[in-house]
Every structure is written in structure tokens, then in C-alpha cells.
Amino acid sequence: MSVMSHSEENARYVIGVDVGGTFTDLFILDQETGEVVTGKVPSTIDDQSRGLVEGILRERVAFSEIATIVHGTTVGTNALLERRGSKTGLITTAGFEDVLEMRRRDRPQTWGLRGSYQPVIERDLRLGVRERTLASGEIETILNEADVITALKRLQDAGCDSLCIAFINAYANPANELAAKDCVRAHWHNDHITVSCDILPEIREFERVSTSVLNAYLQPKMAHYLGQLKDRLGDKGFAGDLLIVQSNGGVMDVASAGSQPIRTALSGPAAGVMAAKFIGKSAGFENIITCDMGGTSFDVSLIAEGQSSLAAQASIDFGMVVRSPMIEMTTIGAGGGSIAWIDKAGILQIGPRSAGSNPGPVCYGLGNDEPTVTDANLLMGRINANRPIGGKLSHLDVDAARASIRTKIAAPLGISDLEAAEAIIQVANAKMAGAIRIVSIERGHDPEKFVAMPFGEVVRCTLAR
Amino acid sequence: MSKASASQEVSPVLLAVLRGRLEQIADEMDATLFRSAFNPIIAEAHDASHGLYDAETGDTLVQGKEGLPVFVGVMAFAVKLVINLAKDAPPDEGDVYIFNDPYEGGTHLSDFKLVRPIFREGKIFCWLASVGHWHDVGGNVPGNYNPVATESFAEGVHIPPVKLFRKGVLQTDILEILKTNSRLPLSIYGDLNAQISALNLGVTRLNDLLDDYGDQTVATVFAELRLRAHSQMQHYISEMPDGSVSATDYLDNDGIVDRPLPIAVDVRVEGAKMTLDFTRSASSVAGPVNISRSTAVAACYVALKHLFSDVPANAGVLDPIDIIIPKDSLLSAERPRPVGGYTETILRIIDVIFAAVGKIDPDRALANAYGTINALSLAGYRPDGRRWVMFSFFGGGHGGHSEGDGLNHGNAPISMATIPPLEILEAAYPIAFRQWALRSDSGGAGQYRGGLGATYEIEVLGDEADGFFFGERGRHAPQGVGLATQAACNQFSWKSTQDSTAERPEMVSKKVGIRLAKGGSVTLETPGGGGYGDPLERPIQTVSNDLRLGYISVQCAHDTYGLVIAQDGRVDEEATERRRMSLREQRAEGPQT
């Protein structure tokens, strides 16, 4: 691994940190000895920086000797999924205030017509101003600054902490947006201002508005987190480079991550794929399908001829579209926490509902009573109940797992507990194998030419057979 | 059904695994076509479908999850047509049939169906089929959406089931006929090749699976999956009270004669059986809103799959259902009745089934979605003489239901297609949108509100343009469930010049030959979805939220939801409760609406 430049002489360590939903994983390279240490501590979801610093402390690394920390974070991902971003206002072209809510006229599921969608900015905080740029880039109507001031006042009175500016056809000519930005800067009460032409100067209004709005939605939270992290590390004597992994697998500095947090939307999983690519190459494999099995999901990604594929966009949730280059990934709900159930036709199904890491599988004893893939693995003896990984729990409750598999799966199907556990694993495996094939076919590759590289929190017990 | 009967024991593990593996085959065929098709209707809008069909009956065994919903029901008819043909001339291994017949095979001429038998030990084990919407198949109008067709010959070329491949050899003369009859021969050639690739992949995957598990086991699983879907449907139907309910709705007109066309269903539930009787519907008409019987049955399938969405997608869904459609009905049109506007009619079939089920099983019911495909086209010439044609379908609201409000601005129940970005349309054509917004008060009121439709206003920036519009729901609004109100009607208008007054079509929802000068504009205001349940039961806070967000007007909040706003602009909860009480009393005394 090549070493990031760092001027200090005692810069000895390079540390990679991946903060996942359940565990914080550390990879510590001692550049003097070439020695590598890995560490695992429970994630501290309320403030990820605490777990991160604790993890480094536990490995007895002197903070002053750290050259670089490369950080894959799920702060952004989680804030989006759980909708815990900041109250945000949108200033946009009059007549087009609803672009965010109208999406691309889609729906969440093919069958049922029961879907719903809640935009992160409600309609009364999306305000139109008079201005118009044509597709040619011609400014048809110059920005009405009085409208902008009026809109700002309303959004401030409504308690918005972050602001997004996104105009129709701003990709063709950003002049009106930039004029609005200048006008806003003079009056807005903080630095949290996102302008669509800065985030995504690209045609397609919904995708640009959505990406920009989600960036604005994350900005205060991400800036706060990164500030805390820098302070904590600084307090311990860290003076090296802190780099944040982007969704496309590259890294950026803290200031960029603070102003463009949307680029971290898939930071954590991207780091895993980059590592797989490096390891695969070292081991002589150029065509790899990576399988990241986490607590809630199974993420499949493709590396063809040594190159990871990039997707132009992804949906974090229905209608929550982020368009920025990111490692292409297909996610299916067949993680360790995925719930096994019997459908109305009497057929065993796995997911898409998940018990996640909290309450987690039945065997965690944290309140879930629906059997998960992890419970099936436990019953099959593939997980040691007395030595769960990560140190969060002292032991796993095999009896509870068995009871739940018995009542929910084995009894209705008329089979034994172990047969039911085996069935759960078989169905989950079939779903995962299917995801791997679809990923390769959709990109025009023959899956037979690829090797699978599994990793992640739960994988060692599920795929290892 | 196939060689095996469902009574044979299938282990629950094997059933679950093979169900997934079989769906996977259809999904992989979908993925192959979406990836390699030339035209965006398939590649982007996914107007295509794949599945596995029974060797003897053609009934649906397994369907892909990503295909167009309406095809899911219609493909079985396409395969049946081939099976009937094959009785006299049995196919060989490697044969592939191709056709676009909309009467026996369903939908319209743009949809090309490829059907291929799978042989095992010299006998047909099952069929694979692929359908995709081709960009241009001849006829009077590019793109084949001809609103004034009075015969299907004006809508496109007709290809009966013929063998495109014989024993694996491509029949190039047939390929030449297809290409010669399209304005876009390269596009349809690309789509055809993509469909062939999808079928090839399906054959390989299915043979692998059969080799792994054995033909007999897989046949048993097919039978079992169908039985499960069948018994699950029976179970749901038997939970409904026995009896008869009816629902009638109307198409505005057929585009030729301005006269409402009833689509009516009488639903009878007897134990575990359900009958859908469409006898009271209109007779076939001159204009292009006719549909064939197979299309009508497919529409019933789509409606039932939305209402019973957890039932596996196979022929078992229709097993406990009797569908009655008389001869020469609007819903059983025969050659050469035009069928190009089939979308409007099948959307209305879905609406009346939703409305009827709402009367017997409100928990399961869905209020009507916006109910029209709203095809709008603007066309003209660029300064250099090149022609431009903008063509798109526009969205509307979904209906309220027992769990929540309808979705704002969704796609039609028969489709998963998305709308193009307005910036793409503006970049491609000399037009500018003046509005692209949710339409206030367009969703029906109810305990759960209907989703909102939209307002689209488009101005012509070029020297002049022609427009045509094909929609519905201009006079007959999407219906709600129970005491809910209906949604707003579709409204289309245009101004020939910037300053002229707005005009509306004589046929209310259909118009050809609109002349627009530079600065002229068209405005389309689409319906929302119907509401669900009593508006007076909608929580006051939620109504006030709807009002704050402008989803509803002050007048609607007051008149329909009984919301009373005090002098200070706040909601007066006590006065609202009183007003709701008196509205309930008026309702009890007054004439039934």
C-alpha cells in the first residue's frame, strides 16, 4: 500500500476505519515494521467518532504517530435512511416547486398501489422565485432578488438550518443560481447553503434537485460530526491527514466532506469494494464479484478486469435519489438480520424485512421474536453461541432462536427445527446467488468468469460451508 | 397442467428454493432484454415481459418481476394461440414463433410476441415467451398511436404467428418483411435480436435447472405453485361475504362519436368462487378504444393482482374467477376493430373492479387511480426543415386505501414506466414548460385522501407546432371508496397564441390537429386518485396539514372535511367537531348521493 504524504517525521501509522451499523473495524498499518493489526469494537451510533477513537486507543497506537486516517462512514447513509437530517428549505424556479415531490412519476412496488412518499422538504418549505433559464442556456428571465429575500425570511422564520438553491436548466447556465447564491450568502444565518450547479451540473431536474436537497439535508449533521471527530482526534494528539471515503471509492478531505456530504452516501460499502479490488489484484484475480453481507443487507458489486464499476446514481429509499458517481452495488434483503416468514401460500420467504442489529436476531435477546438468518445459523451450529464476535453481547440465546424457528417456521411447515433452519439458509443462499447472477448479466458479463469474494459482518458463518 | 399433479409431496424447502430459481430465470430474461434493446420504450420504460408457460394449456407458470404488469396477464393468450396452431403442425426443437396479433394475442400491434417451446426428451416440457413494445410498426401514424383510426389496418402492420426460426435457423425473408414495414427498421431489428437473446438465455437456464433437479420435480413444483396461488385466492374470496355487487363507470367517448361508453361489472361471490360479469358494458365501437377478449382478461388479472398482491404471479390467480364478456362487446372486439387506445379501456376495467370490491371488502379495496394514459404530442419543423415530434405520457394520483393516502403523481396501474425529465424534453424540442406542479384539490377527499394529479403547461418556442392529445376521464372522475369523494376530472386546454383565449376539445379528452403559433401553449391538468372512507373521519390535524401544504383548498377543507378556521387563522377544533356533527346529520337526512 502506498503511503499518503505527511511531513512529520514520526508519522508511523496509516489507519483505515470503517464504521458500520453494528461494528467499527480498524486496519492499522505500521509503516516502520510493515506490521498490520486489525481491530473490532462495537459502533457507537449516537456519535461514531467515540467508537473510532476508542478503537484506536485499544490498539495502543500513539495518536501523534498517525500519518493518515482513512475513514469510511455511515453517518450520511444512516441519516438518510432514518430521515434524521436537518430542517431544510428549497428556493427554486416558480412553477416547479413540486419537482422534488413528483419524482419521475414512479411507484415503489409493481403490485398493490399502496406506496407512499414523503419528501425530505415539505411543500411549504419549497419556495418559487421568478427566474428562468432556457435549455439553450439563454437567461429568459433574470433572477428576481426581492423574491429570494422574501423566501429566505420565510424559511428562516420556519426554523430551517440548511438551504438549497436549485433552478430549472441551471446545468446549461448557472448564472441565475450563482446570483441567488450571492444574494443568499449576504442574508442566511449559517454556512449551510447548497447550490445545484455546484453539486451536480447535469441535465435532469429531479435527479439534480433531489441530490442537492439531500446534500443540504445532511450538511449540518455531517459538518457537526466531522468537527467532533477532528476535535476528539486533535485532543489525543493527532496531527495527520483525515480522509473521508467517497461513494465512488476515492477519498476527500474533511472540508469537502462537510460541504458535499452527499458524496459519502455509500462511503462504507465503497471502501469494502476498493479493498476487495486491491486484495483480488494482489492474489491474481481481475474479475471479482464482491459480496458484503451485513446485518441487514447483502450488497453485491462487480469488479471486471480489475476495475470496479461505477453507477451514475442510486436510490437510498423510494424517491430518495442520489446522482453522483458511486461504486455500483445491488442490495438485497438477505443479511443476517433478514426475517424468515411463511407467506399466505404457505411458502417460506426470507426478507425483505430485517431485524437489523437492534433488536437484531432473536438470539440477541433484545426483543425480536421473528426468526432471522443468523438464528438459523446459530441453530445449525455455525456460530459459537458463547463467543459472539465484536464483544457487544456476552452470549447468544440458542433456546430463544430455536423456539422462534419452531413456532414460526418448523411447525407451520411440518418439519423439524433443524430442517427449518437448513431451509432458511438454503433459501437465503439461493437469493444471494440470484443477486450475483443478475448483477453480472445486467452489466453484460458472464458470471462463470468471475470469482466471488465474500466479506462483511456476518459472512463468515453464512457462506463458509 | 403438466405431467405431474400437485398431490405429490413437495418438500417445503424445495418449493421455496425452486420458486426463487424459476422467478430468477424470468428475471434474467427481463434483464437481458432491458440491457440490449435498442428502443427506449423497452430499455428505459421496461415495456416488455417474460415468462414460462404450460406445455398443453399455455397458462402462466412463472413471470418475471420487472415486466410490464399488463403483459403478465396477456402472455398466456399469446402462447395459447401458438399451441392451437401447433396442434396441426407440431413445432421442432429450435423453432421460434413471432407475431403481433392483438385480437388473439392481446394488447396492440406495437407489442411483438416471441414464443419458443422447450423440449425435453423429444417432448415439449413448457414454453418460454418474450414480449416487447417496438418503436414503429407501420400504420398511418409514426409510433402507432392513431386516435382517429377506425380499422386496425391504420394502426400498423399485422403479423400472424409465423416461424421466425425453424430448427434454429433464422428465416431471413420474415425478418425482411418486418424491417420493410417499419419506419425505424434498425430499431426493431435491435429489439428483435435482444428478445431472441433473452429467449436463448431462458432456454439455457431452464435446461440447467431441469438437469439439476429433474424434470419431474420441476413439473411437480409448477403444479404446486399454481395450486398454492389458486387456494390462496380461494381463501381470500371465501373471506368475502357472498352476494352480488355492481360498479359502472364510463369512457368519455371513442374519439369518433361523442357518446359515453359504459364499462360495467357485476361481481358475484359464492363461497370460494368469484364471477366478473361485464355483460352490461358498451358494444364495440368505431374508434380505437376497443379491446380484445384476451386483453380484457389480462386487465382483470392486473386488477386482481393489485388487490391480492401477495398471491404468486401465475395462472392460479384466475383459477377461481369466472369472467363473462359477451360477443361484440367493447371488451371482445374482433378484427378489424381498432385497438390502439387499449390502455384507456383496460384502466377503466381495473377501476370498476376496484370500485366493486370496495363495496364488499373495504379493507382490501383501493380507490381508483387517475385512470388515463394521457398521450400528448407536439410536432413541428425546425428552422433547418428537420421535423421534431415530442411524445409523452403524463401522470396522475393513486387512490387512497385502508392504510394511507394515495401516492402523488404516480404511473398508471398497468405500467411501471417513468416520465422523461422536462429538461430533456426542453433540450430536445423547441418548447418550454411553464408549470410542472402538483394540482391542488385533484385528489378525492376521504379518511385517506387520493394522491394528487399534476398540472403541466407547455409553451411553443418554435415558429409553430401541431398537437394531438389522447386521454380520458374528461367527464367521469376517478371514484372513491365508501363515503369518500371522487377525484377531479382530466382537463386539457390550449391557446393558439400567447394572447388568445383558452380552448377545450369538443371530445373533452381527445383532440387532433391543434395548431399552435409561437407563444401558444397547451395545459394538461390530470386527475388525482379517488379518496378512501369518510372525509369527516380524517383527523383534524391531518386536514389542517393538507391545507398548510396546499394539497387542498380552504373551500375543500371547509365544505368536505368540515374544517373551521378561526379569526386568528388557527383551526378551531371545537367548531370543527360541531360542524362535522351537523354535516353527518345532514347526510343522514338528505338524499343519498
Side-chain angles (χ1 to χ4, degrees):
Chain A
M1 187 184 234
S2 69
V3 179
M4 307 286 172
S5 68
H6 189 250
S7 53
E8 312 226 357
E9 279 184 13
N10 57 353
R12 186 170 161 189
Y13 299 102
V14 174
I15 301 185
V17 189
D18 180 35
V19 182
T22 317
F23 297 115
T24 297
D25 287 294
L26 293 103
F27 179 96
I28 303 170
L29 170 70
D30 183 337
Q31 298 185 80
E32 283 176 14
T33 62
E35 209 173 293
V36 164
V37 179
T38 60
K40 196 185 235 347
V41 292
S43 290
T44 48
I45 299 302
D46 53 320
D47 173 8
Q48 294 192 354
S49 64
R50 205 153 40 83
L52 192 156
V53 170
E54 274 166 23
I56 297 176
L57 276 174
R58 190 185 279 196
E59 302 303 332
R60 301 177 195 287
V61 170
F63 281 81
S64 59
E65 293 181 0
I66 303 172
T68 308
I69 295 177
V70 183
H71 179 20
T73 173
T74 49
V75 167
T77 325
N78 291 343
L80 290 178
L81 281 173
E82 293 160 20
R83 294 181 177 256
R84 286 188 290 99
S86 303
K87 191 164 193 179
T88 304
L90 173 67
I91 294 183
T92 191
T93 312
F96 301 88
E97 296 88 345
D98 291 329
V99 161
L100 181 72
E101 190 162 353
M102 291 165 76
R103 313 170 313 283
R104 287 282 298 280
R105 189 203 59 193
D106 47 359
R107 67 173 178 264
Q109 278 104 30
T110 306
W111 299 111
L113 302 178
R114 284 173 182 250
S116 63
Y117 172 64
Q118 179 90 35
V120 298
I121 304 182
E122 286 201 298
R123 207 167 184 228
D124 58 343
L125 300 180
R126 305 191 303 256
L127 305 180
V129 296
R130 280 167 285 179
E131 74 81 34
R132 188 68 154 94
T133 303
L134 297 179
S136 60
E138 179 196 331
I139 304 288
E140 186 190 53
T141 307
I142 58 164
L143 176 70
N144 184 316
E145 299 204 352
D147 284 2
V148 176
I149 306 282
T150 311
L152 274 185
K153 288 246 153 56
R154 272 179 65 185
L155 296 173
Q156 275 172 331
D157 291 347
C160 290
D161 284 326
S162 190
L163 182 75
C164 180
I165 301 167
F167 293 162
I168 294 297
N169 289 328
Y171 75 93
N173 181 352
N176 275 357
E177 268 194 5
L178 294 175
K181 183 183 182 178
D182 285 344
C183 177
V184 161
R185 271 217 180 117
H187 298 87
W188 190 250
H189 57 283
N190 62 29
D191 293 338
H192 301 313
I193 300 166
T194 298
V195 184
S196 94
C197 62
D198 289 342
I199 295 293
L200 183 73
E202 226 181 80
I203 192 168
R204 289 191 175 83
E205 69 285 353
F206 168 67
E207 287 78 356
R208 191 173 66 251
V209 168
S210 175
T211 307
S212 307
V213 160
L214 293 176
N215 189 75
Y217 184 65
L218 290 181
Q219 238 187 32
K221 196 147 221 142
M222 184 61 83
H224 175 74
Y225 167 67
L226 293 173
Q228 254 181 342
L229 176 60
K230 271 193 98 162
D231 289 350
R232 272 185 203 279
L233 290 169
D235 288 349
K236 300 282 179 199
F238 172 70
D241 294 323
L242 175 58
L243 300 172
I244 308 299
V245 180
Q246 303 185 43
S247 311
N248 65 3
V251 292
M252 59 182 161
D253 63 18
V254 169
S256 307
S259 66
Q260 303 213 350
I262 199 65
R263 289 174 184 270
T264 69
L266 286 176
S267 166
V273 176
M274 296 314 283
K277 180 167 118 181
F278 180 80
I279 296 165
K281 211 166 197 163
S282 315
F285 294 105
E286 296 267 291
N287 291 329
I288 303 165
I289 292 172
T290 68
C291 314
D292 184 352
M293 189 166 184
T296 49
S297 68
F298 180 75
D299 299 327
V300 180
S301 191
L302 193 93
I303 297 167
E305 289 167 8
Q307 296 298 314
S308 47
S309 39
L310 288 180
Q313 67 178 52
S315 294
I316 304 297
D317 195 355
F318 172 67
M320 237 190 202
V321 169
V322 175
R323 190 169 174 87
S324 88
M326 48 186 84
I327 299 280
E328 184 143 46
M329 233 167 287
T330 299
T331 299
I332 62 163
S338 292
I339 289 168
W341 54 288
I342 308 287
D343 71 12
K344 286 278 172 52
I347 300 176
L348 174 64
Q349 304 267 17
I350 310 295
R353 281 199 315 127
S354 168
S357 60
N358 193 4
V362 177
C363 60
Y364 280 21
L366 298 175
N368 169 39
D369 66 350
E370 295 184 89
T372 66
V373 174
T374 294
D375 293 311
N377 274 309
L378 181 66
L379 205 60
M380 297 290 290
R382 292 178 181 169
I383 300 175
N384 185 340
N386 295 315
R387 289 190 55 203
I389 49 174
K392 191 172 170 182
L393 301 156
S394 62
H395 76 287
L396 301 174
D397 190 342
V398 186
D399 290 339
R402 180 182 296 116
S404 136
I405 288 177
R406 177 173 299 164
T407 50
K408 300 274 162 77
I409 308 292
L413 292 179
I415 56 180
S416 76
D417 301 346
L418 281 180
E419 281 171 334
E422 170 83 40
I424 291 168
I425 293 164
Q426 270 200 38
V427 173
N429 285 351
K431 273 186 85 164
M432 289 187 279
I436 290 170
R437 269 216 302 281
I438 287 279
V439 162
S440 49
I441 288 165
E442 277 176 349
R443 320 283 167 262
H445 296 291
D446 179 354
E448 286 178 12
K449 299 202 171 97
F450 285 73
V451 297
M453 184 183 284
F455 53 88
E457 293 173 353
V458 202
V459 74
R460 61 182 81 170
C461 31
T462 306
L463 287 183
R465 303 222 300 179
Chain B
M1 199 52 226
S2 324
K3 299 117 228 161
S5 77
S7 59
Q8 279 174 272
E9 198 62 29
V10 182
S11 99
V13 182
L14 193 64
L15 186 65
V17 171
L18 278 181
R19 174 199 170 142
R21 289 279 302 265
L22 288 163
E23 277 176 2
Q24 174 80 21
I25 292 174
D27 287 345
E28 284 185 40
M29 290 164 76
D30 284 346
T32 302
L33 178 57
F34 298 156
R35 184 182 152 74
S36 44
F38 274 33
N39 99 67
I41 304 175
I42 298 177
E44 303 290 336
H46 293 184
D47 198 339
S49 180
H50 295 88
L52 281 61
Y53 303 87
D54 187 89
E56 281 147 37
T57 62
D59 287 339
T60 307
L61 299 170
V62 176
Q63 281 282 351
K65 288 191 287 294
E66 303 299 324
L68 195 74
V70 66
F71 287 145
V72 172
V74 93
M75 288 302 285
F77 291 96
V79 176
K80 275 172 198 166
L81 179 58
V82 170
I83 290 174
N84 283 338
L85 206 76
K87 274 180 189 146
D88 298 327
D92 293 305
E93 198 153 358
D95 285 359
V96 179
Y97 296 84
I98 187 168
F99 61 101
N100 71 340
D101 181 302
Y103 301 102
E104 297 288 334
T107 63
H108 57 169
L109 291 162
S110 308
D111 297 334
F112 263 82
K113 292 112 184 167
L114 271 66
V115 178
R116 174 168 177 176
I118 298 282
F119 281 85
R120 297 288 288 183
E121 293 166 1
K123 284 180 65 184
I124 296 175
F125 180 79
C126 70
W127 300 82
L128 296 182
S130 167
V131 56
H133 181 137
W134 290 4
H135 219 157
D136 185 276
V137 297
N140 287 12
V141 175
N144 312 106
Y145 221 89
N146 181 358
V148 293
T150 52
E151 288 182 328
S152 55
F153 299 110
E155 298 178 319
V157 64
H158 289 226
I159 304 290
V162 291
K163 285 184 186 173
L164 178 68
F165 283 83
R166 289 177 185 271
K167 295 185 181 174
V169 179
L170 176 67
Q171 306 300 295
T172 47
D173 48 356
I174 290 176
L175 183 63
E176 288 311 312
I177 293 172
L178 293 172
K179 282 163 70 179
T180 308
N181 275 284
S182 173
R183 294 177 181 86
L184 301 165
L186 191 65
S187 168
I188 69 157
Y189 180 60
D191 292 345
L192 177 63
N193 272 323
Q195 284 183 271
I196 291 167
S197 304
L199 285 176
N200 286 341
L201 182 95
V203 172
T204 310
R205 290 276 184 269
L206 184 61
N207 276 323
D208 287 351
L209 183 83
L210 292 169
D211 292 344
D212 279 357
Y213 287 88
D215 297 8
Q216 192 57 41
T217 307
V218 175
T220 310
V221 166
F222 281 150
E224 184 66 27
L225 287 174
R226 177 176 184 152
L227 192 70
R228 299 276 176 130
H230 181 171
S231 58
Q232 194 179 346
M233 280 298 289
Q234 283 184 318
H235 173 75
Y236 284 141
I237 295 167
S238 57
E239 282 179 350
M240 296 178 170
D242 278 7
S244 220
V245 282
S246 301
T248 304
D249 208 327
Y250 298 87
L251 293 174
D252 295 330
N253 52 53
D254 70 346
I256 308 289
V257 182
D258 192 11
R259 154 175 81 86
L261 303 169
I263 308 286
V265 68
D266 300 311
V267 176
R268 287 188 289 279
V269 175
E270 295 166 275
K273 269 206 100 49
M274 181 188 274
T275 306
L276 304 175
D277 184 345
F278 292 96
T279 304
R280 295 188 296 110
S281 303
S283 301
S284 60
V285 293
V289 294
N290 299 287
I291 59 174
S292 65
R293 189 177 195 285
S294 52
T295 309
V297 173
C300 294
Y301 180 95
V302 172
L304 292 168
K305 263 297 285 176
H306 280 307
L307 291 167
F308 304 92
S309 56
D310 58 342
V311 180
N314 66 50
V317 173
L318 288 178
D319 280 344
I321 314 288
D322 270 339
I323 298 171
I324 300 172
I325 302 168
K327 267 185 96 67
D328 199 37
S329 161
L330 185 74
L331 313 182
S332 63
E334 291 179 2
R335 198 179 316 272
R337 290 288 194 192
V339 295
Y342 83 103
T343 49
E344 307 306 296
T345 312
I346 62 177
L347 286 168
R348 206 62 68 251
I349 288 181
I350 293 167
D351 288 339
V352 291
I353 294 175
F354 283 3
V357 168
K359 294 175 185 174
I360 38 175
D361 191 354
D363 280 350
R364 182 171 296 286
L366 298 160
N368 287 177
Y370 60 108
T372 171
I373 209 77
N374 270 344
L376 172 65
S377 167
L378 296 174
Y381 291 91
R382 299 181 197 273
D384 63 5
R386 281 183 303 138
R387 190 151 173 69
W388 61 272
V389 182
M390 184 214 83
F391 177 88
S392 190
F393 302 120
F394 291 85
H398 286 183
H401 50 83
S402 62
E403 291 160 2
D405 296 343
L407 182 68
N408 292 336
H409 197 241
N411 43 18
I414 52 170
S415 163
M416 285 298 280
T418 56
I419 197 166
L422 72 94
E423 287 181 348
I424 295 271
L425 297 176
E426 290 192 0
Y429 313 111
I431 56 163
F433 281 81
R434 295 306 175 199
Q435 230 193 128
W436 177 284
L438 293 174
R439 181 186 177 197
S440 186
D441 278 345
S442 59
Q447 183 183 353
Y448 296 108
R449 185 177 36 73
L452 300 188
T455 301
Y456 312 92
E457 185 186 342
I458 312 173
E459 181 181 322
V460 176
L461 299 180
D463 281 342
E464 57 176 19
D466 289 322
F468 92 73
F469 174 65
F470 198 117
E472 265 294 337
R473 289 283 188 212
R475 293 200 185 98
H476 306 276
Q479 299 297 301
V481 172
L483 291 168
T485 68
Q486 57 188 25
C489 280
N490 210 15
Q491 284 199 21
F492 178 73
S493 64
W494 71 92
K495 290 180 179 177
S496 306
T497 66
Q498 193 132 40
D499 306 318
S500 57
T501 51
E503 298 175 71
R504 292 181 190 279
E506 312 80 59
M507 291 275 177
V508 70
S509 53
K510 296 171 192 70
K511 180 73 186 173
V512 287
I514 303 166
R515 304 284 296 170
L516 301 165
K518 181 175 188 162
S521 61
V522 296
T523 301
L524 175 59
E525 297 169 88
T526 71
Y532 179 97
D534 187 350
L536 301 181
E537 296 295 322
R538 189 168 176 84
I540 293 173
Q541 255 314 310
T542 314
V543 177
S544 124
N545 200 45
D546 284 347
L547 183 60
R548 176 175 63 86
L549 297 177
Y551 292 156
I552 59 173
S553 63
V554 174
Q555 191 188 347
C556 167
H558 178 267
D559 293 358
T560 315
Y561 290 104
L563 196 75
V564 179
I565 311 275
Q567 293 289 344
D568 63 358
R570 289 166 191 265
V571 174
D572 184 335
E573 297 213 9
E574 273 179 39
T576 299
E577 292 295 359
R578 280 198 304 276
R579 179 170 158 72
R580 285 185 161 191
M581 194 80 81
S582 80
L583 284 172
R584 285 191 191 97
E585 281 164 14
Q586 282 173 31
R587 194 190 269 162
E589 291 160 10
Q592 294 292 309
T593 49

